[in-house]
Amino acid sequence: MSPPATETDSVRLSLRLSPGQLTIEGAWWPRSLSLEDELPPLDRAVRDATGAGIARFAYTLGTWTDQPRKVHAASHLIKLGWFTSGRFPDSVDLSLDDYRRVVLVVVPPDAGAAESAAAMSAFDLRGTRSTSTDGAEPPPYHAPDLPSELAQQLLATKETVRQAMLRVRGIADAGTRARAAAVLEVDLTLAATEARTVVDQAEPATDART
């Protein structure tokens, strides 16, 4: 067993990995906001974990201190693209050279221990495998604003949805695949609308306390 990576050369990365998945989710806690500095070690860590390197890296403008179009990795160039705005500015989208996709939640470099631990450990669900080159297992998941049992239930629900999408993508017949995707889309849209209603109803109460 190799010794744990040191604080200076480790990549703080946690990935939710399972056989046959096309989209991998995870969390990344970079040490700076420089893409030139952070992408080469991230590429090595992703390759070690998945067997594939980063072909393209997409991010939201304004979230990093530099804006390179290409970054040199160990044996190839990573092409970069960006969005002028995005619904999830704290996430980055990686296209791997084996055509899989990785979506990473980016933990700010100056984040505190509690915030970073919650984000990293969110991708360590039972029945999946999490990888981190920091040399230590992430602590049990917890969300400060939610009861632990509820937080785990929500994570389990998210995993169920992800598995359902993978099953739909695996349907061979195009017509059946399209119908199944339509059913899933309707269900998710209804759930999102209901969630938005709950949030909107809670916002006045939140404003009243400030």
Side-chain angles (χ1 to χ4, degrees):
M1 181 176 179
S2 59
T6 65
E7 185 69 13
T8 55
D9 64 11
S10 62
V11 176
R12 299 178 295 195
L13 175 68
S14 184
L15 297 176
R16 180 184 296 155
L17 300 173
S18 59
Q21 66 190 126
L22 298 177
T23 299
I24 303 168
E25 295 177 319
W28 175 37
W29 187 13
R31 301 184 185 282
S32 74
L33 292 176
S34 168
L35 292 173
E36 288 276 6
D37 294 338
E38 297 294 334
L39 283 190
L42 176 64
D43 177 72
R44 289 194 299 271
V46 169
R47 186 179 294 276
D48 288 345
T50 68
I54 302 172
R56 187 172 180 85
F57 180 96
Y59 64 97
T60 302
L61 279 179
T63 53
W64 301 85
T65 56
D66 54 353
Q67 190 180 325
R69 293 184 177 274
K70 296 179 180 179
V71 170
H72 288 270
S75 60
H76 67 287
L77 281 174
I78 301 173
K79 297 180 179 180
L80 283 80
W82 53 81
F83 308 99
T84 55
S85 63
R87 290 182 58 194
F88 307 103
D90 59 343
S91 297
V92 294
D93 197 313
L94 285 56
S95 298
L96 303 187
D97 54 25
D98 65 354
Y99 303 104
R100 283 182 293 171
R101 178 180 175 225
V102 178
V103 179
L104 298 177
V105 174
V106 180
V107 182
D110 59 354
E115 178 185 355
S116 59
M120 301 297 282
S121 60
F123 296 93
D124 187 27
L125 297 181
R126 180 171 300 182
T128 64
R129 183 166 63 90
S130 175
T131 179
S132 172
T133 58
D134 247 348
E137 291 294 324
Y141 176 77
H142 70 281
D145 298 330
L146 294 174
S148 176
E149 182 177 356
L150 177 58
Q152 294 293 344
Q153 289 173 349
L154 292 175
L155 282 172
T157 299
K158 181 179 179 181
E159 177 67 9
T160 299
V161 171
R162 189 183 68 81
Q163 292 291 344
M165 192 65 249
L166 289 175
R167 285 195 293 272
V168 168
R169 287 177 174 174
I171 297 174
D173 179 73
T176 303
R177 184 170 63 248
R179 290 192 296 274
V183 171
L184 185 58
E185 180 183 21
V186 169
D187 289 343
L188 293 177
T189 300
L190 290 173
T193 301
E194 180 63 23
R196 182 70 259 178
T197 300
V198 172
V199 171
D200 290 342
Q201 291 173 345
E203 283 178 348
T206 302
D207 294 340
R209 292 195 297 268
T210 58

